[in-house]
Amino acid sequence: MTIGCIVQARMGSTRLPGKVLMEVIEGKPVLYYVINQLKYCKSFEKLIIATTTLPEDDKIAQFCTDNNVNYFRGDSKNVLERHYRCAEKFSLSTIIRMPSDKPLLDPEVVDKVVDKFNSNSYDYATNFFPSTFPSGTEVEVLSFDSLKKSYEKAILPSEKEHVTTYIRNHKDDFRIFNIMNSENLSNFRWAVDRVEDLRLVREIASKIHKNPILMHDILELFKNEPSLVEINKHVDKKESYAKSKKEDEEFLRTKN
């Protein structure tokens, strides 16, 4: 059984193009931080960056080569297929799915979700269905069989774009577990979607001098410097899903 982490990365973000290779501090980009935080996980053996075959993503492939990180290149639009082909190529039986916009993900939270997934033969385990963790610490773990089933059955554009949407749309067909935090912290946010988010991550990384940076370190910093939370307070967290919903409606309308 091989557990692997697939990090989804591309240069063509609609909200903040090129964000994955934007500098956080000391010349180290967002993607460097994602990889570095994941290195402290104890729960998986392989780390792969899944990018696209578009020429603009040659930079990501080059970054991986320069940093001795596995990478896979696949479809730019069908992200579900990209994950499926990647997992297939690297013979993964369990997949941790991690977008590249979470430079301050918490490796302890990742391990916790994987442990839960392994404890009871779940098909899918996560910590944001519903969310009680800060945005930027989301984790998804799924079996290869669940990924394959999603790939074979997904029809809606959102199900192909967001990888695990098919599972969440058909929750009765899968064994799902959602980890709840002891306190609802979903109002906090350190994922990177907008320039304000990147500004906040830069502030956090410049003030916390340890590896890895954990969720409780950031919350402690916010307690001491509450003004930091204001930096990205007005960013719309659900913007991406609203766009997907619209695409689904359009798809169903033209299909009918």
Side-chain angles (χ1 to χ4, degrees):
M1 189 173 103
T2 304
I3 301 176
C5 181
I6 298 178
V7 178
Q8 173 185 325
R10 67 189 178 108
M11 292 298 285
S13 163
T14 49
R15 294 181 292 281
L16 188 58
K19 67 183 178 183
V20 293
L21 293 183
M22 286 181 179
E23 181 184 1
V24 177
I25 53 170
E26 296 168 357
K28 293 166 183 167
V30 168
L31 189 55
Y32 170 89
Y33 272 81
V34 174
I35 295 165
N36 188 60
Q37 291 281 101
L38 285 167
K39 280 180 181 172
Y40 292 91
C41 293
K42 301 182 176 89
S43 55
F44 65 86
E45 301 129 71
K46 287 182 183 174
L47 172 67
I48 309 114
I49 307 300
T51 191
T52 86
T53 52
L54 295 174
E56 65 193 50
D57 290 322
D58 290 351
K59 288 180 181 176
I60 292 175
Q62 189 60 53
F63 176 86
C64 293
T65 302
D66 293 345
N67 290 276
N68 200 26
V69 177
N70 292 317
Y71 69 90
F72 175 85
R73 302 187 76 166
D75 197 285
S76 61
K77 289 198 165 64
N78 191 336
V79 189
L80 173 57
E81 182 186 3
R82 198 194 316 164
H83 278 69
Y84 172 67
R85 297 291 178 208
C86 177
E88 194 178 43
K89 183 186 175 183
F90 286 90
S91 305
L92 305 182
S93 55
T94 299
I95 297 101
I96 302 163
R97 177 178 172 259
M98 187 62 64
S100 56
D101 60 0
K102 305 191 188 327
L104 299 176
L105 65 96
D106 187 325
E108 291 182 358
V109 175
V110 174
D111 287 343
K112 192 176 176 180
V113 178
V114 176
D115 285 347
K116 193 69 201 179
F117 175 87
N118 288 333
S119 72
N120 210 350
S121 303
Y122 290 108
D123 298 312
Y124 174 66
T126 185
N127 65 339
F128 68 103
F129 189 45
S131 181
T132 51
F133 284 78
S135 176
T137 62
E138 297 93 336
V139 184
E140 293 182 288
V141 185
L142 65 157
S143 66
F144 178 78
D145 288 346
S146 302
L147 180 61
K148 186 180 182 187
K149 186 175 178 179
S150 301
Y151 168 65
E152 288 171 349
K153 297 196 169 193
I155 294 167
L156 296 172
S158 64
E159 293 172 345
K160 295 177 180 181
E161 185 187 351
H162 295 294
V163 184
T164 55
T165 298
Y166 179 85
I167 294 174
R168 283 181 272 128
N169 284 350
H170 300 84
K171 52 182 185 284
D172 294 340
D173 298 340
F174 298 90
R175 285 171 52 83
I176 295 173
F177 190 90
N178 183 70
I179 289 184
M180 305 287 282
N181 197 39
S182 54
E183 181 188 351
N184 189 349
L185 302 171
S186 59
N187 56 310
F188 290 107
R189 172 189 175 82
W190 49 82
V192 176
D193 267 333
R194 294 285 190 185
V195 70
E196 297 91 333
D197 298 325
L198 184 58
R199 203 174 300 142
L200 174 62
V201 166
R202 283 171 174 160
E203 286 288 336
I204 295 168
S206 68
K207 291 170 187 286
I208 300 176
H209 305 288
K210 69 187 277 283
N211 275 308
I213 296 172
L214 302 176
M215 183 172 78
H216 66 78
D217 299 322
I218 299 171
L219 295 170
E220 188 64 32
L221 175 65
F222 286 175
K223 202 183 286 179
N224 295 330
E225 299 188 41
S227 62
L228 290 174
V229 179
E230 300 297 316
I231 294 173
N232 67 343
K233 195 177 179 180
H234 305 294
V235 173
D236 182 1
K237 298 179 191 178
K238 299 199 166 44
E239 193 179 11
S240 167
Y241 287 98
K243 178 176 164 279
S244 292
K245 195 165 183 287
K246 208 171 174 184
E247 285 170 0
D248 285 352
E249 287 165 2
E250 183 63 28
F251 171 80
L252 291 168
R253 191 162 53 245
T254 54
K255 197 170 177 245
N256 295 333

